[in-house]
Every structure is written in C-alpha cells, then in structure tokens.
Amino acid sequence: MASSGIIAFIFTVLCICAVKSGGFIKVECKAENVGQYGQQSVLECVIKTSTDVNDPTIRTVAWKKLTSPEDEGDLVLGFNRGKLDQPKRGYRFAEPLWNEKNMNVSLLITNTAVKDDGYYKCIVITDSGDNSMVTTLKVQARYSVPTVHSIPEIIVPNTDSTLICESRGGYPNGTLRWFDEEKHEWTKSSEMEATQSDDGLFQLTSRLSLLGGSTFPKYTCAVFNASGGKEDEKTFETNIPPSSSRGSEELPHSGSGYPSKVVAPLVVIGSLIVGLLLLLLYRKRSQTARRNSTAPLMGGHGPVSTDVEEGYNSPDDASINQDQS
Ligand SMILES: *[C@@H]1O[C@H](CO)[C@@H](O)[C@H](O)[C@H]1NC(C)=O
Ligand SMILES: *[C@@H]1O[C@H](CO)[C@@H](O)[C@H](O)[C@H]1NC(C)=O
Ligand SMILES: *[C@@H]1O[C@H](CO)[C@@H](O)[C@H](O)[C@H]1NC(C)=O
C-alpha cells in the first residue's frame, strides 16, 4: 500500500514536470475595465510565461464578446496563422504595432457603445501552451444637466401644481431626486420614469406634485448615477414667497415632531384664552359686586348671565384659531 502511494506521488511529480517543461503560459487581465460612451475603451490583458519559456510566439488570439460568463461568444478580433481574421469594425489590438511576439494582447474598442458593456473572453494559443481569461467592460455615460419646468407654467399661489424634471443620455440607469432650499428631500412626493433609447442610453423623467398651500420658493432636481454619485442638479424657482405659517405646513409632509410642534402652540394659546376669560370674569364679578354694593336696586343676576354667554363665545373663537393654524 505504502509503495503504491509513493509510486502515485512520483507519477504526479513527473506529470507536473512534463507540463512545465512543455511550457506554461497564463493570460492575465484587469478584472474590470471602465469605458466612457463614445470614447475609446481598452480591455487590458497580457500573457505571462513561466521562466523556462524562451521567446514564445503567439499562434492564435481570439477576443470574444459573451452574453454571459459561460457563453460561447461572438468573435470580435481574431489573429490566426500570422494574420488577422474576421476583423470586426471598431475592434483592434491596443498596441499600435502589435505582432505575434508582443505579449500585450489588450483589446481596443474605438467608439464605445452601450452594447459593448459586458463580458469578454481572451483566448490565446502559443507555441509554449495555451490559456484563456474572462474580463468585463462597464460602460458609463454621463447624464445631461437636468431641465425643470412646471405645469401650469406660472404657479398660482394656493393652487396645486407639478414640477417636471428631465435628464437624458446617461448609462447605466440613474435616479432623479428632489430637494427644497433647506435640503429636505421631497422625492417621495414624486414619480420617476426611465426609458431607454435605441442607443441604450437612459432618459429620466420625474414629476413632483406640489400642494397649493405648501409650495416652497425653490426646488432642486438632482440626477444621481447608478452608483449613487450626484452628477448634476438644476434649481427651479416657483415665485411663491416664503409662507409665514410655513413651520406648521411643512410638518404633515416631514411627519416627524408633528404632535409636540403643533400641540405646544395650541396649549399656549388655549391657556392664554382661559387666563383672559378668568380675568374678564373676575373683573366683571368685582364690578358687579361693587355695583351691587353701591346700587343694590339694579339686581345682581342680569350682568352675570351675559358674562356667561360671552364666556361661551370665546372658546368658539379658540377652535376657529385651531382650524386655521
Ligand atoms: C498594454 O498596451 C496598452 C496599449 O498600448 C497599454 O495601455 C497597457 O498599459 C499595456 N499593458 C501592459 C501591462 O504593458
Ligand atoms: C431604472 O431605475 C428605476 C428606479 O431606480 C426603476 O423604477 C426602473 O424600472 C429602472 N429601469 C430600468 C429599465 O431598469
Ligand atoms: C457616479 O458618479 C461618481 C461621482 O461623480 C463617479 O465617481 C462614478 O464613477 C460614477 N459612476 C457611474 C456608474 O457612472
């Protein structure tokens, strides 16, 4: 048993040596390449050789565009038996004077399009062995500065309106977000739509609903790219002056601090009214008391009952105040 184990071990070592002496090459690629839409992109791959490989010659290079990492793929650039085959427009070796002795087999895409985004496979055959590697290209396109307009064109105070923000020509899918001048976000009151044009670029449209009573003087629409970076923004002026009662109008939207911020002023106003009423009552009472003492014939109950009626009027006023605030 032990001897068969030793034989297997020796056999394995011999095999590894045989492969090594037969040459060893490795294609090494940058795992992720980034390309800008409409510009040149490079997919970087170089052939690394083991030390015992001397002056290797490349027989074949095949660059394929895959639809998934396991896919067979479509040939975009091929080199075979000393010449380029099936050269596809817009693809070439990144090295300007590339030949079969040049181990830098990087691919150059001359005019990057959205369809170039994805997986690529670089297959290499040399006289010292062969290897292949999959790499990716991430295509990016910058979104345009947003434009903002309103419906109606001129916003009427205390009337509902809509702001429409548009940004186009970006990739991948981005988002539009809304902010007021105090940087509070209003995106939840908006609806965004993303459409893709024939060239694959996205057009983003967002509609922000403004409630008549709570329209701010300024809104900013900002466009964020797929990785959440802000690319640009545009500020729109509604020409609605800042409202004096802004503080309480803002609250139903932001949601936080609603009870304390609304209830506190009501408690203050309420206690002031009660205090005033008590004061009035007290003064009328003392007047009546004085009158009663100086002119007892006038009768003490009449004025007191009108006091009570007046007393009922005032809480009504208070509840109107509550409705308005
Ligand atoms: C390969 O060639 C490309 C184009 O000339 C170059 O940008 C890149 O740096 C080269 N890579 C290496 C590892 O030399
Ligand atoms: C783009 O993103 C938005 C929100 O992030 C989403 O609603 C929309 O469906 C996406 N569109 C596409 C085509 O992926
Ligand atoms: C998003 O924007 C940030 C900052 O501008 C930038 O660094 C990043 O590369 C962009 N990402 C994409 C996918 O466009």
Side-chain angles (χ1 to χ4, degrees), residues 80-145:
N80 202 12
R81 296 170 204 274
K83 60 180 200 317
L84 289 173
D85 59 9
Q86 296 186 30
K88 208 172 171 184
R89 221 160 64 101
Y91 301 88
R92 53 182 169 86
F93 283 106
E95 287 280 87
L97 300 170
W98 188 86
N99 62 37
E100 68 264 29
K101 291 289 181 191
N102 190 334
M103 296 297 122
N104 183 343
V105 292
S106 301
L107 174 72
L108 183 117
I109 301 172
T110 53
N111 183 5
T112 307
V114 169
K115 65 171 171 53
D116 293 324
D117 189 277
Y119 298 99
Y120 290 80
K121 190 175 194 174
C122 179
I123 303 158
V124 172
I125 301 170
T126 72
D127 57 2
S128 308
D130 39 286
N131 192 223
S132 69
M133 190 73 195
V134 172
T135 182
T136 60
L137 177 68
K138 294 237 180 287
V139 176
Q140 296 182 350
R142 209 181 155 85
Y143 281 92
S144 68
V145 179

Side-chain angles (χ1 to χ4, degrees), residues 142-143 174-175 177 222-232:
R142 209 181 155 85
Y143 281 92
T175 46
R177 289 161 66 183
V223 59
F224 288 77
N225 68 24
S227 37
K230 184 158 88 178
E231 297 214 325
D232 255 308

Side-chain angles (χ1 to χ4, degrees), residues 133-325:
M133 190 73 195
V134 172
T135 182
T136 60
L137 177 68
K138 294 237 180 287
V139 176
Q140 296 182 350
R142 209 181 155 85
Y143 281 92
S144 68
V145 179
T147 58
V148 185
H149 69 276
S150 65
I151 296 178
E153 209 171 311
I154 292 164
I155 296 175
V156 182
N158 298 314
T159 319
D160 291 357
S161 53
T162 305
L163 294 188
I164 296 161
C165 177
E166 286 175 300
S167 176
R168 54 182 69 230
Y171 191 87
N173 195 359
T175 46
L176 294 174
R177 289 161 66 183
W178 294 91
F179 301 89
D180 64 26
E181 75 257 67
E182 278 152 21
K183 303 282 177 235
H184 293 131
E185 184 157 2
W186 291 87
T187 312
K188 279 192 182 130
S189 310
S190 73
E191 268 184 37
M192 197 191 84
E193 199 186 342
T195 55
Q196 237 173 329
S197 47
D198 290 343
D199 54 14
L201 299 177
F202 283 100
Q203 174 173 351
L204 309 177
T205 307
S206 178
R207 286 159 209 275
L208 175 69
S209 304
L210 300 179
L211 296 177
S214 57
T215 299
F216 287 83
K218 280 182 192 167
Y219 289 90
T220 297
C221 172
V223 59
F224 288 77
N225 68 24
S227 37
K230 184 158 88 178
E231 297 214 325
D232 255 308
E233 62 178 33
K234 176 79 183 173
T235 298
F236 181 87
E237 302 205 6
T238 59
N239 291 318
I240 299 292
S243 161
S244 56
S245 56
R246 169 88 56 77
S248 54
E249 279 170 358
E250 187 186 337
L251 287 165
H253 295 284
S254 67
S256 63
Y258 180 85
S260 63
K261 281 192 183 169
V262 169
V263 169
L266 288 183
V267 167
V268 172
I269 291 166
S271 39
L272 276 176
I273 288 165
V274 168
L276 279 171
L277 283 175
L278 287 175
L279 194 69
L280 273 174
L281 215 62
Y282 173 78
R283 285 183 59 179
K284 288 247 166 113
R285 277 256 167 80
S286 52
Q287 275 173 10
T288 317
R290 253 180 281 131
R291 266 187 246 131
N292 281 352
S293 60
T294 53
L297 288 175
M298 284 182 74
H301 290 292
V304 172
S305 67
T306 54
D307 278 354
V308 171
E309 278 166 25
E310 277 169 18
Y312 278 118
N313 284 340
S314 297
D316 281 349
D317 292 343
S319 72
I320 288 165
N321 287 342
Q322 284 177 20
D323 289 343
Q324 283 170 343
S325 61

